[in-house]
Amino acid sequence: IFNGTGSDVNMAKKTMSHDLHIPSLLYAGRLAYMPKGALPSYQGDPDDLTNDKVSYAASVSYNVEANWESSNDLRLGVEYTRLINRLYLSAEAYAMQMKFTKRQKVEEPYWFLGGYVQAGYFVTRKLQPVVRYDYMDRNSTREKGSINMPAVGLNWYAYRSNLKLQAMYQYTGRWGHADQDSRDRDDLGLAMHCAVVMMQFSF
C-alpha cells in the first residue's frame, strides 16, 4: 500500500475515493514462484555463468482516485524469467484498465495491452549482447494504433560485475493506425531513434 511521493502524496483533500469509498492510495501486490531457488536480481553476472534458476510471477495493482478528474487504474501482469548458464531470458505481458471517475461521465473503461521479451547471452566472460522487443497498444483496444520498440545492446564487463560499459540502440515505430494521418498525429514527441552509452560502477 503506497501513499505516494512529492505531489502524489495523499493529502487531506484527497483522502477517500468518492466512487469506491476506500482510501485513495496505490494498492499493489506481486506473487512469484521460484522452484529452483531464489532468482538473482541481476541480468547476468560474469562470475556466475553456471546458475540455473527460473521464476514465474503475477502482479496486480490498483491506483484509486479520489475526486479529481482522473481514473481508477487497474494493472495486471504475468512474468517469466530464466537464468541458465550464460543465457538470461525474461518476458512480461500486462494489461491496464482505466475507469474514469463518475465526475467525468465516461461510462466505458479503456483497456491497454502490452508486453516485452528480452534476452542476453555471454559470448565471453566480458561480452554480453542483448536484444529486447517492447509492444504497447497505447491508444487502447478501442482505437487503432500501437507502438513497437525493438532494441539491441551490448554489455562489456570491465571488472567483474562491478564495472561495466553499456551501449544500446532502440527504434520506436508506430503501426496499425487507421490511416497515415492518424499515424502522423500519434507521436507525442517520442524519438524514433535512440542510442544510449553509459558506464556503471556498483559497490
Side-chain angles (χ1 to χ4, degrees), residues 21-50:
H21 309 292
I22 60 176
S24 179
L25 300 169
L26 171 64
Y27 302 87
R30 181 176 181 270
L31 181 65
Y33 173 57
M34 304 176 193
K36 296 187 176 187
L39 181 78
S41 59
Y42 51 74
Q43 298 180 6
D45 184 340
D47 295 327
D48 186 14
L49 300 182
T50 58

Side-chain angles (χ1 to χ4, degrees), residues 165-168 195-199:
L165 178 67
Q166 298 175 284
M168 185 198 75
V196 177
V197 178
M198 58 186 258
M199 182 73 78

Side-chain angles (χ1 to χ4, degrees), residues 43-165:
Q43 298 180 6
D45 184 340
D47 295 327
D48 186 14
L49 300 182
T50 58
N51 213 331
D52 185 5
K53 295 291 188 294
V54 63
S55 172
Y56 308 91
S59 60
V60 60
S61 68
Y62 198 70
N63 190 32
V64 179
E65 174 60 7
N67 57 350
W68 303 107
E69 295 183 358
S70 185
S71 59
N72 297 299
D73 300 334
L74 171 68
R75 294 175 177 86
L76 305 169
V78 290
E79 309 164 39
Y80 170 79
T81 308
R82 187 80 164 98
L83 179 65
I84 179 168
N85 299 328
R86 295 172 176 263
L87 175 66
Y88 174 86
L89 177 67
S90 67
E92 180 182 5
Y94 52 85
M96 183 181 79
Q97 180 200 64
M98 291 180 62
K99 186 165 181 57
F100 293 89
T101 56
K102 292 179 181 178
R103 176 177 173 176
Q104 291 183 274
K105 299 179 180 180
V106 180
E107 296 296 331
E108 296 296 324
Y110 283 76
W111 279 97
F112 301 82
L113 304 176
Y116 74 85
V117 59
Q118 69 178 35
Y121 186 82
F122 278 92
V123 293
T124 73
R125 280 193 171 271
K126 289 185 175 290
L127 286 177
Q128 182 192 37
V130 295
V131 293
R132 181 181 172 103
Y133 179 78
D134 284 85
Y135 165 84
M136 184 173 66
D137 185 15
R138 76 171 186 191
N139 291 325
S140 84
T141 57
R142 295 166 57 181
E143 183 177 341
K144 294 181 177 180
S146 304
I147 60 173
N148 64 103
M149 297 169 284
V152 294
L154 182 67
N155 295 325
W156 177 64
Y157 292 81
Y159 178 70
R160 307 181 72 175
S161 60
N162 302 98
L163 181 63
K164 68 177 177 179
L165 178 67

